[in-house]
Amino acid sequence: FYNGCSLETEHGILWSSEKGAWSDAYRPDGDITHNGNKRRDPGELGGPLAGVAAFDYGEGRVVVIGDHNALSTTDIFIDDHHRFAMNAVAWLAKKEDKKELVNWEYPNGVDFLIHYGNDGEFAVHQKQDRGSYRTAYGFLTKEPQLRPWLHKKMRAGDDVIMLGAPKKKYSAADLKILDDALAAGKSVIWLATLNSISSGAGEQLQSHFGFELFVGDEFDFKGTLPFEVHGSREWTEQIFRMFVNHRLRPIKVDGLTPVVQLSWGTQHIEDKQWERPESLIDVVSTKQVGKGTLYVMAPFELFDDSGLRGMYVEGADVIRQQMAELFIRTAKIAAHDATVYAD
């Protein structure tokens, strides 16, 4: 089913919680995804509800999954989806007694941990009320050399660690994982939303790594306007401008080296806004920490595809492609991946 559904079956093997879960009625007259109204109405089924069923049929076996996204390119690396996929295939092939094949190996592959715990704002499905960074994550999964593992728990051993806009302070053990990774010559990237910057986690990270982010007032303009992109060719080749929403705030850094900046005031703006003083936003900044490199991408709201205007028109494609391109280039530079950048 396109956007996920519960299953009416006696063969369920994966269930929702009993409390708080319900089956939101399908709306054929709703939006293009035909989602429900996200409210529990009278007559709608309550949990526990099956999301996956598995059963024998004749001499064969069947697995039914209520949401095709669970095994999609974008979602296969979220939590333990990959483990479920491999186990399901092994069971269908009646090879469930064989060793579990979850440690996939690729030549020169790079393991990315995207840590979205600590009350992080990085989300891949949320389209209401708060941000969704599905575009950024989806582009990362399309790079054959990169394996983006999305986990709520911090872990050691990955080649790159991305911090998904945390708001809650990290434990001493988690900070040690970051310190050890940097000491070993690996990269750590903080995806810093405005809320993350002003949170306990933001203050902790700035203090721990010795830098400071300064957030200015909202830009005083209406609508969506383009900003020019400045930086070295490695980051910015053929990325000339970015469109931003009116909620954007300028970000300046102290203690980091800006490598990609946005300037306000370009020939593309036709409503004479360009006559105002130029403002710079330090979008990507770096710092050498031990043998490794710390990267800060801020404000990460630039890469949030849920707030873009006209999601299904040509202009939205420009926004998504430009921002996703900068994100994937930063990721590949951090991973020391010399393969061709995404196009």
Side-chain angles (χ1 to χ4, degrees), residues 22 31 72 88 94 103 111 156 186 204 212 239 255 301 312 319 330 334:
W22 80 95
D31 60 22
S72 68
K94 300 183 179 180
N103 295 318
D111 284 308
K186 298 180 180 181
Q204 179 192 45
E212 189 172 1
I239 304 178
E301 281 87 349
Y312 300 99
I319 299 172
T330 302

Side-chain angles (χ1 to χ4, degrees), residues 85-246:
M86 298 298 284
N87 286 345
V89 171
W91 184 82
L92 287 166
K94 300 183 179 180
K95 302 292 185 181
E96 62 266 40
D97 293 334
K98 296 188 70 173
K99 182 180 179 181
E100 189 179 31
L101 301 175
V102 297
N103 295 318
W104 304 327
E105 295 182 0
Y106 298 94
N108 304 316
V110 177
D111 284 308
F112 263 80
L113 168 65
I114 301 181
H115 179 249
Y116 71 114
N118 287 59
D119 197 21
E121 292 196 304
F122 188 95
V124 294
H125 294 298
Q126 187 70 41
K127 290 291 185 182
Q128 302 291 331
D129 300 327
R130 56 176 290 198
S132 170
Y133 303 94
R134 189 178 182 88
T135 293
Y137 182 73
F139 271 71
L140 190 60
T141 63
K142 293 177 182 179
E143 286 296 301
Q145 299 296 99
L146 307 181
R147 294 186 295 276
W149 304 100
L150 197 65
H151 284 279
K152 286 188 176 181
K153 292 185 178 181
M154 185 69 75
R155 70 180 190 186
D158 294 280
D159 301 296
V160 178
I161 298 176
M162 284 187 172
L163 308 179
K167 294 187 292 183
K168 181 181 177 181
K169 286 185 177 181
Y170 286 99
S171 67
D174 285 348
L175 284 179
K176 186 177 185 306
I177 290 176
L178 300 180
D179 290 339
D180 290 347
L182 290 164
K186 298 180 180 181
S187 298
V188 172
I189 305 174
W190 176 21
L191 308 177
T193 61
L194 295 176
N195 286 335
S196 180
I197 292 171
S198 62
S199 70
E203 294 175 0
Q204 179 192 45
L205 291 170
Q206 293 177 70
S207 174
H208 185 75
F209 291 112
F211 66 94
E212 189 172 1
L213 299 178
F214 298 94
V215 181
D217 296 327
E218 290 184 359
F219 285 101
D220 184 20
F221 61 73
K222 297 180 180 180
T224 301
L225 297 175
F227 278 53
E228 282 191 344
V229 180
H230 303 271
S232 67
R233 182 177 181 182
E234 187 178 23
W235 259 282
T236 64
E237 184 178 13
Q238 296 185 352
I239 304 178
F240 305 112
R241 58 179 179 167
M242 284 189 176
F243 288 82
V244 302
N245 61 56
H246 66 280

